[in-house]
Amino acid sequence: MLESGHDECAQDVEEQKGLLTDEEQKLSDAKGDFGNMYFPSLLVAHVTATLLVVLIFAWMMSYNAEDSQKQGFNWENKSPKVFNWHPVLMTTGFCFCATQAVLSYALPLPKLVNKMLHLFWHTSAWIFSAVGLYAVFKFHNENDIVNMYSSHSWFGIATIALYGIEYLGGLAFLMPESYISHQSRKLLLLLHRFLGIATLAFAFTTIAMGILEKVTFNNTGPKKGSEYKITSAAIVVLMAWGLSLSAAIALRNRINLKERKQS
């Protein structure tokens, strides 16, 4: 009787294992080593990406330069508030949307759904960054400010260029396999991943330089208590985002490598 009950329990466990999605099984197999750090790194990456956008929005909305004339958002000609769209939209695109795109394959969904989510978030990032770029050029041109005058500017343009190349290259994976050879697909995937990591590194650097440049222009310091605190918090969150996202990508690659070895 006990043996029969034990056999039934064992059979139930096996059936439950069979119900696991491929993604869940991979994550389960990756436990041990650093596998148990994967979900925490995912969570921290998502939370910090969201929090950074919230902090930048709050900064531009209520604390920018400690001057109400420069706080808030609009698209009026020569208004200083036009610029405020730039940091918010660029951070939304290159931090929040890019994080969702990179980590979309972590969701236990069919591969095609993951791919469509990946494309959706990358497209969203491109749209947000394009509008953010328009905002800063509009502000500069209407107020007779020279464009592309700082390291932040050039890093920003390089980031957008890399993102564009990576995006166009990624569209190739939507083509039928008969149009691209297996070897070419492998090469494109390697290039796509390299450009993705390089773009994230450039985005991290550009955001950090942008915050530094803006607080320098605003002469932000301990005497400007509220702005000083929110920009300091933004830098700390930015560092946490970079570390957690890097960890999530590295651990994901480890899971993929372990899966290939087991197959």
Side-chain angles (χ1 to χ4, degrees):
M1 188 76 174
L2 290 174
E3 290 181 359
S4 175
H6 177 74
D7 290 342
E8 289 178 0
C9 289
Q11 185 177 358
D12 290 341
V13 171
E14 290 300 321
E15 289 177 354
Q16 288 177 0
K17 286 184 177 180
L19 293 175
L20 289 175
T21 65
D22 291 340
E23 185 66 26
E24 290 169 335
Q25 190 62 54
K26 283 191 289 183
L27 296 179
S28 177
D29 292 340
K31 290 297 183 183
D33 294 334
F34 298 101
N36 58 352
M37 295 173 60
Y38 182 54
F39 281 117
S41 65
L42 282 177
L43 178 62
V44 174
H46 283 298
V47 170
T48 52
T50 305
L51 183 55
L52 184 60
V53 174
V54 171
L55 286 172
I56 297 299
F57 175 83
W59 178 21
M60 293 295 104
M61 185 69 189
S62 304
Y63 302 101
N64 184 25
E66 302 286 355
D67 182 353
S68 60
Q69 297 299 316
K70 297 181 179 180
Q71 296 165 5
F73 305 89
N74 65 42
W75 291 102
E76 297 175 5
N77 289 339
K78 296 187 177 183
S79 171
K81 297 180 181 182
V82 172
F83 173 86
N84 295 348
W85 288 107
H86 175 68
V88 173
L89 293 174
M90 301 306 277
T91 306
T92 301
F94 286 131
C95 179
F96 179 79
C97 292
T99 298
Q100 311 311 311
V102 170
L103 301 181
S104 60
Y105 285 99
L107 298 172
L109 298 170
K111 186 175 181 180
L112 180 60
V113 176
N114 289 136
K115 185 179 290 188
M116 291 298 101
L117 284 173
H118 188 68
L119 176 62
F120 168 78
W121 283 115
H122 272 313
T123 303
S124 299
W126 183 249
I127 293 172
F128 277 114
S129 63
V131 179
L133 190 66
Y134 166 76
V136 72
F137 275 97
K138 172 180 168 64
F139 172 73
H140 283 179
N141 292 337
E142 290 178 350
N143 292 278
D144 297 322
I145 300 173
V146 177
N147 291 305
M148 307 301 297
Y149 60 82
S150 67
S151 299
H152 167 70
S153 303
W154 289 105
F155 261 89
I157 289 297
T159 303
I160 291 174
L162 284 172
Y163 210 101
I165 296 170
E166 185 219 7
Y167 182 84
L168 292 174
L171 293 177
F173 294 101
L174 298 177
M175 298 174 63
E177 294 186 7
S178 58
Y179 284 82
I180 305 177
S181 67
H182 179 67
Q183 191 63 30
S184 297
R185 187 175 288 269
K186 285 177 63 176
L187 182 61
L188 278 173
L189 181 60
L190 180 64
L191 181 61
H192 184 65
R193 287 175 174 171
F194 164 74
L195 286 175
I197 294 173
T199 303
L200 285 173
F202 269 66
F204 176 88
T205 304
T206 303
I207 293 171
M209 295 172 75
I211 294 174
L212 175 61
E213 184 175 295
K214 185 60 176 172
V215 297
T216 301
F217 287 160
N218 289 354
N219 195 26
T220 303
K223 291 183 179 180
K224 290 188 176 181
S226 298
E227 185 174 29
Y228 178 75
K229 290 176 182 177
I230 200 167
T231 52
S232 296
I235 286 294
V236 172
V237 171
L238 175 65
M239 290 188 289
W241 169 68
L243 288 172
S244 59
L245 185 58
S246 298
I249 293 171
L251 291 169
R252 179 72 195 179
N253 289 337
R254 187 181 185 88
I255 291 171
N256 290 337
L257 180 61
K258 190 166 185 176
E259 182 198 22
R260 285 195 294 269
K261 287 182 178 179
Q262 290 175 345
S263 61

